[in-house]
Amino acid sequence: MAQPRIVIVGGGFGGLAAAKALGKTPAQVILVDRANHNLFQPLLYQVATAVLTPSQIATPIRTILRKQKNTTVILGEVTAVDKERKCIFVSNADREGVPIAYDYLILATGSTHSYFGHNEFAEYAPGMKSLADAVATRNKILQAFEQAEAEEDPSRHRDLLTFVLVGGGPTGVEMAGALAVLVRTTLKSDFRRINPASARIVLVDQSQRVLTTFAEKLSKAAKQRLEKLGVEVRLGNSVDLIDADGVMTAGERIASKTVIWTAGVAPSPAGKWLKVDTDRAGRVRVQKDLTVPGHPEIFVIGDTASLEENGKPLPGVAQVAMQEGRYAAKVIRSRVEGTSTPGLFSYFDKGTMAVVGKGFAVLQSWKVQASGFGAWLTWAAVHLQFLATSSLRIAVFLQWAWTYVTGQRGSRLIVNHHESQPVKAAEVAPRKPAAA
Ligand SMILES: Cc1cc2nc3c(=O)[nH]c(=O)nc-3n(C[C@H](O)[C@H](O)[C@H](O)COP(=O)(O)OP(=O)(O)OC[C@H]3O[C@@H](n4cnc5c(N)ncnc54)[C@H](O)[C@@H]3O)c2cc1C
């Protein structure tokens, strides 16, 4: 008898956890992702601020699953799902809408950034979700210093050296702290006409405090730490406009050439593919076994799923996605093997952390609330542990130790397209005819 086929869409935190948990299942597992790598998003800000290189936070999915004989990895973008025919449609470089049939489907397609209805902001304030986003942000930040150094009119330095971060959640706070350390340590003595340490870093959020998902005491500690690092924290006001000249907030213009969006997220279009009930944000409302109502063979997990526990929606964090991935795999495995089905999904919250500059983090786990160097060491250990491979763990550990001691960063490169553009025919000098 042919083995059942389990198709997983998305090789991020949730999808990869599911794929690994299905490694010994007597089934054919197919993992489809539009990227060839699994990305450790919590460290994206370190690529954007030049601490780490892109290859230190991402690993080819094919490499991670290479020993898993029952699993095939397909590079392609899923564009639709046909629930009745039980197949997904995948497009890649040269083929569109290729159907892949499934017996069980796990959708783990994550989320993207949301501009809360102001998509026009995207042009001036890029978000950070992929490796390409982080490299583009790094280019933008480093380019601003280069432009300012090249600019002879000092009155133009101000907006080039003003960096605005929109959103005071973990990404905004971590990014602001890392940027402050970059300008005040790494770049300090590299320029002649400008003083990088004079850069203005502004963090804007409409909430009354940063890190709203943390206890108030920890939000306060994070804000104080940011201010100590020289970050201007502006709370209680939304950003009403973002354009080429900066942002407008609370009726005031902040002139800036570098605005970075670290605010909301929106789920993948999985709800639209499935044509099922979603929450206000567009996340698929799943049942307590993570399946879609009426379709016990379709599981939706991670950032693209909506599930409430104790009257509150589960947060869009890596732990939720991984635990859901493992659970979905367990349910499918029990059905394939004909063993007893596990109980309903229940999230085990191990806690949450955010780092604020060098050697300082805030940590909240059960009744423990801590901030400072000890919390930072815990943050570092946990993040190292969750990197996909041992080689990444070693590389990142060594880079962090080097950066901590010397202040130097791993990847201060501006990588532009023009470097590899072919020379136009008209610009090529005519070749002399070969000597007879
Ligand atoms: C900058 C940043 C910092 C974060 N920091 C933290 C943190 O410190 N701690 C924490 O717990 N969480 C953090 N998160 C959140 C965490 O990364 C997410 O909750 C987690 O990644 C969700 O896992 P997922 O499997 O649902 O989606 P993802 O991990 O995003 O994976 C989705 C996968 O699906 C693929 N995909 C998407 N659409 C398609 C398609 N149509 N076809 C094929 N493939 C597709 C993507 O390429 C990706 O590989 C952070 C997120 C960001 C963006």
Side-chain angles (χ1 to χ4, degrees):
M1 254 175 67
Q3 287 188 327
R5 183 185 280 178
I6 305 162
V7 173
I8 303 170
V9 187
F13 280 105
L16 193 62
K20 284 180 174 172
L22 287 165
K24 293 202 168 73
T25 306
Q28 204 191 121
V29 179
I30 297 183
L31 189 150
V32 186
D33 199 303
R34 62 185 174 195
N36 84 328
H37 51 267
N38 167 267
L39 176 63
F40 195 77
Q41 292 171 25
L43 292 178
L44 267 177
Y45 82 95
Q46 296 213 352
V47 171
T49 52
V51 177
L52 297 175
T53 64
S55 62
Q56 285 171 326
I57 66 161
T59 314
I61 298 169
R62 205 172 283 294
T63 305
I64 301 171
L65 297 174
R66 70 187 183 284
K67 291 194 180 147
Q68 211 164 289
K69 298 290 177 227
N70 69 345
T71 307
T72 304
V73 178
I74 303 281
L75 179 67
E77 170 136 20
V78 171
T79 51
V81 177
D82 186 331
K83 288 182 297 187
E84 315 319 321
R85 280 172 58 202
K86 290 195 185 173
C87 70
I88 60 165
F89 295 90
V90 184
S91 297
N92 55 29
D94 57 356
R95 294 197 302 165
E96 280 202 9
V98 179
I100 298 181
Y102 63 80
D103 295 299
Y104 296 96
L105 176 65
I106 301 179
L107 290 175
T109 37
S111 56
T112 181
H113 27 260
S114 157
Y115 289 88
F116 305 122
H118 286 284
N119 287 346
E120 71 278 11
F121 291 175
E123 188 181 345
Y124 309 104
M128 243 198 321
K129 191 68 193 162
S130 66
L131 265 191
D133 294 338
V135 171
T137 305
R138 183 183 74 192
N139 282 348
K140 215 170 154 128
I141 293 168
L142 297 178
Q143 188 75 49
F145 288 97
E146 297 299 337
Q147 273 177 265
E149 179 81 341
E151 177 60 63
E152 290 184 21
D153 175 3
S155 68
R156 288 265 303 120
H157 290 170
R158 203 61 227 155
D159 54 350
L160 281 169
L161 295 183
T162 297
F163 300 88
V164 180
L165 295 130
V166 185
T171 306
V173 166
E174 292 185 331
M175 183 78 195
L179 197 51
V181 176
L182 173 77
V183 302
R184 309 213 200 293
T185 58
T186 316
L187 301 184
K188 198 174 65 179
S189 46
D190 288 12
F191 294 85
R192 300 296 167 260
R193 291 180 176 168
I194 57 162
N195 173 14
S198 69
R200 183 180 175 205
I201 301 163
V202 187
L203 179 70
V204 190
D205 197 297
Q206 61 183 354
S207 310
Q208 292 300 335
R209 58 189 180 101
V210 295
L211 303 179
T212 47
T213 52
F214 286 68
E216 214 162 326
K217 178 176 114 177
L218 297 178
S219 296
K220 213 168 145 192
K223 179 170 178 274
Q224 280 171 353
R225 184 70 181 184
L226 284 173
E227 286 168 344
K228 203 169 161 202
L229 290 168
V231 177
E232 211 176 300
V233 184
R234 292 179 162 227
L235 299 173
N237 288 302
S238 59
V239 165
D240 306 315
L241 175 100
I242 305 178
D243 60 19
D245 296 321
V247 306
M248 285 289 291
T249 176
E252 186 197 331
R253 176 169 279 282
I254 304 176
S256 167
K257 292 289 175 213
T258 313
V259 182
I260 300 162
W261 188 261
T262 57
V265 290
S268 77
K272 289 186 186 138
W273 299 335
L274 295 171
K275 299 183 191 74
V276 291
D277 187 26
T278 60
D279 66 8
R280 272 178 48 205
R283 301 184 305 167
V284 175
R285 282 190 205 279
V286 290
Q287 305 182 114
K288 296 246 185 256
D289 64 355
L290 308 183
T291 60
V292 170
H295 287 271
E297 75 286 6
I298 303 179
F299 296 76
V300 184
I301 62 168
D303 280 8
T304 216
S306 171
L307 180 68
E308 288 196 358
E309 251 185 41
N310 307 320
K312 277 198 212 157
L314 292 180
V317 294
Q319 272 304 321
V320 170
M322 288 164 78
Q323 290 179 30
E324 289 184 343
R326 285 185 212 116
Y327 173 85
K330 213 165 146 188
V331 174
I332 294 173
R333 189 172 174 173
S334 71
R335 291 201 208 148
V336 170
E337 293 178 346
T339 54
S340 60
T341 315
L344 298 175
F345 176 76
S346 161
Y347 173 52
F348 177 66
D349 186 356
K350 294 181 184 164
T352 173
M353 288 177 274
V355 71
V356 198
K358 185 179 174 180
F360 188 98
V362 290
L363 176 161
Q364 180 170 300
S365 179
W366 293 82
K367 289 193 174 148
V368 179
Q369 293 176 5
S371 59
F373 187 69
W376 180 78
L377 282 179
T378 312
W379 171 90
V382 169
H383 281 68
L384 283 175
Q385 186 201 334
F386 280 107
L387 283 166
T389 61
S390 335
S391 62
L392 285 190
R393 269 170 235 137
I394 295 166
V396 171
F397 173 75
L398 291 175
Q399 183 61 57
W400 280 351
W402 180 251
T403 302
Y404 193 89
V405 175
T406 65
Q408 290 309 312
R409 311 230 158 183
S411 182
R412 265 176 59 193
L413 304 178
I414 300 172
V415 189
N416 281 324
H417 283 303
H418 64 72
E419 283 172 12
S420 58
Q421 298 238 318
V423 179
K424 288 188 194 122
E427 292 166 4
V428 181
R431 274 177 146 199
K432 282 188 187 152

